[in-house]
Amino acid sequence: LLIENGDTSTVYEMNGRFSIEVIDSTANGYKLKYKQENTPVLKPLSADDDTVTRMVFNVMEKYMDKINIPVVFITDEYGTFQDIEGIDILQKEMYSIVANMVKDFEKEFNSILLVDVTEEEKKQIMAVVEELFSKAILEQYKDKQSIYNNFKEKK
């Protein structure tokens, strides 16, 4: 996380292996289970290594296996995306995970930087981190099309 004059930039990339398993096949369509096969590796995109960025990385790495929730896509007989099975449960889980990530970050933040940071600076950093986690994760799970877009092949 890079914070300059209130602006943020993404400073990492994530790589991982995924599998798609056909779990049901009928004349009308398919159910495809999309699952991450390994815990993704977070890699910095910048040489900058400030304390806040390290803390964000620590929290994200701690939760990578929890974020790895299999998603079941429903398609028509031609393989065209139609729906996601259990989307409400999936969204609830992701919101809970992000809330815990923010709490863990705040704990780590308070234990490491409490002395050097004013209350106003802390509020600003916490708002930026909460927005980062929300945009990085929750935006991808806001509706079925967002989930589908997140998992489809990037070109």
Side-chain angles (χ1 to χ4, degrees):
L1 171 66
L2 180 62
I3 306 172
E4 290 179 359
N5 300 325
D7 286 339
T8 61
S9 301
T10 303
V11 293
Y12 70 90
E13 69 178 27
M14 183 170 64
N15 294 307
R17 277 193 334 266
F18 303 91
S19 68
I20 299 175
E21 175 186 356
V22 177
I23 58 174
D24 190 23
S25 173
T26 67
N28 297 326
Y30 302 92
K31 283 188 182 180
L32 307 170
K33 182 174 163 183
Y34 186 97
K35 183 179 175 199
Q36 201 165 302
E37 291 299 320
N38 64 329
T39 301
V41 177
L42 292 173
K43 185 169 78 174
L45 297 177
S46 167
D48 295 338
D49 194 19
D50 65 84
T51 304
V52 174
T53 299
R54 277 195 311 270
M55 291 182 346
V56 168
F57 269 90
N58 290 346
V59 171
M60 288 183 78
E61 286 180 337
K62 178 180 174 183
Y63 280 88
M64 289 312 289
D65 62 331
K66 292 174 178 60
I67 293 171
N68 182 15
I69 301 170
V71 177
V72 176
F73 294 99
I74 300 169
T75 71
D76 64 14
E77 65 270 26
Y78 303 107
T80 304
F81 170 71
Q82 300 296 309
D83 207 350
I84 293 174
E85 188 172 88
I87 189 171
D88 294 341
I89 295 166
L90 180 64
Q91 288 171 324
K92 265 188 208 175
E93 259 184 272
M94 294 311 293
Y95 277 89
S96 175
I97 289 167
V98 168
N100 287 329
M101 288 172 76
V102 171
K103 285 179 193 171
D104 280 3
F105 177 88
E106 187 169 21
K107 265 191 242 174
E108 188 171 342
F109 181 81
N110 286 335
S111 70
I112 293 173
L113 292 178
L114 193 57
V115 178
D116 301 332
V117 178
T118 68
E119 196 58 37
E120 185 59 34
E121 290 170 325
K122 177 187 172 190
K123 283 180 186 175
Q124 284 181 324
I125 291 171
M126 286 306 302
V128 167
V129 167
E130 191 166 346
E131 183 179 352
L132 170 77
F133 287 147
S134 293
K135 282 188 176 177
I137 299 165
L138 295 182
E139 278 293 309
Q140 299 172 24
Y141 290 87
K142 70 180 178 182
D143 56 36
K144 69 181 182 180
Q145 192 62 48
S146 297
I147 296 170
Y148 172 71
N149 290 340
N150 180 49
F151 284 93
K152 74 180 185 178
E153 182 181 0
K154 307 283 190 257
K155 296 184 180 190

